[in-house]
Amino acid sequence: MQNRDSSSAMSMLSCVFLFALLNLLNIANSESFIGVNYGQVADNLPSPAATAKLLQSTSIEKVRLYGSDPAIIQALANTGIGIVIGAANGDIPAFASDPNFAKNWVNGNVVPFYPASNIIVIMVGNEVLMSGDNNLITQLLPAMKNIQSALDSVSLGDKIKVSTVHSMTLLRQSEPPSSARFHPNLVNVLKGLLDFNNATGSPFSINPYPYFAYRGDNRAETLAFCLFQPNSGRYDPNTKINYMNMFDAQVDAIHSALDSMGFKNVEIVVAETGWPYKGDSNEVGPSVDNAKAYNGGLIGHLRSKVGTPLMPGKSVDTYLFALYDEDLKPGPTSERAFGLFNLDLTMTYDIGLSKSTQVT
């Protein structure tokens, strides 16, 4: 009797352990909300094949490209990794004025690779609405519509979404989050874009960077608020919500602005966010500790699936910036120091992205 009880207990413990292990494996392989930006403003990057292998060793399940490099798209074939490809700002006028240009672009950059390469979104332009180019701004929606029509013509319109990426400076005000509104002079343009997002089920994609918020307000309590560290929070008197991190506050500000225009059900996607791990001596904020705290805290927050206070219970799809440093980028040192991985494919700092680390 004693042996049987002991055996049963051991079996139960084995089952519990196996369940826990399978759960960890499942977590490591089901984080569809974690993506990464793969920029190429560099002359020293690892090969696309090596990068594809690296990505498969992590819990990153989506990659955003700023263009449509066929070598990278092909390297990611049959990996299951979702691929966001980009169309350049400079091509928007041609997309808008010539449906055949859009068709040729889709036939050249999408059709040869799909579905082996899991292209999920085409981003038309980057931060166009705050570019100051009124001609480009007015042509953005027609360009997106022509690309959507080109996808429809090859029966991919319901499989690949068409969107664009917006800067947080679209907001005229953002604090408290419940009061956030878009700049009045952009409302008409945004209305058309949001009608398109709503009709096609494509996301409203934004680039929130608590790092830049901290650069403008470098108090210690602001840093803790940005880095998911203990802090007293920031109270929104309208909703009675005490925000405990800048990421949630920024995303909810976008949600409030969308709600004010009648589009609260349009999905929000974070197309870029990150923190540099080094900078020049006169730069405030860049360090390995801060970058690890922000990116690691963000990943932990996303994995908790608590969502944001105004959008609870679901993690916002988030693309970390960036996969590698880009050595040809202009500007201060911090612009070239956002990479999560080194050129030898080792981690710049460990934030728990490795599948083997998670299972262990």
Side-chain angles (χ1 to χ4, degrees), residues 2 20 49 52 60 77 101 106 137 145 186 193-194 200 217 228 255 266 297-298 305 350:
Q2 234 176 357
I60 295 167
F101 184 86
V106 166
I137 291 169
K145 286 181 174 179
L186 293 173
L193 290 170
L194 286 164
T200 63
D217 175 11
F228 298 90
H255 179 76
V266 169
L298 175 58
K305 297 187 181 180
D350 189 359

Side-chain angles (χ1 to χ4, degrees), residues 96-171:
S97 62
D98 186 358
N100 285 325
F101 184 86
K103 286 182 180 178
N104 290 336
W105 191 91
V106 166
N107 285 331
N109 294 286
V110 177
V111 173
F113 309 110
Y114 187 90
S117 295
N118 184 26
I119 298 169
I120 55 174
V121 181
I122 298 170
M123 291 294 187
V124 183
N126 189 47
E127 301 189 346
V128 171
L129 294 197
M130 298 307 292
S131 67
D133 186 333
N134 288 329
N135 188 47
L136 209 59
I137 291 169
T138 57
Q139 291 178 317
L140 178 58
L141 181 56
M144 291 168 64
K145 286 181 174 179
N146 280 343
I147 290 180
Q148 181 68 51
S149 295
L151 289 171
D152 290 341
S153 71
V154 290
S155 301
L156 294 177
D158 60 340
K159 299 178 177 67
I160 300 172
K161 302 300 182 185
V162 178
S163 188
T164 188
V165 179
H166 301 291
S167 162
M168 288 293 291
T169 53
L170 281 181
L171 294 175

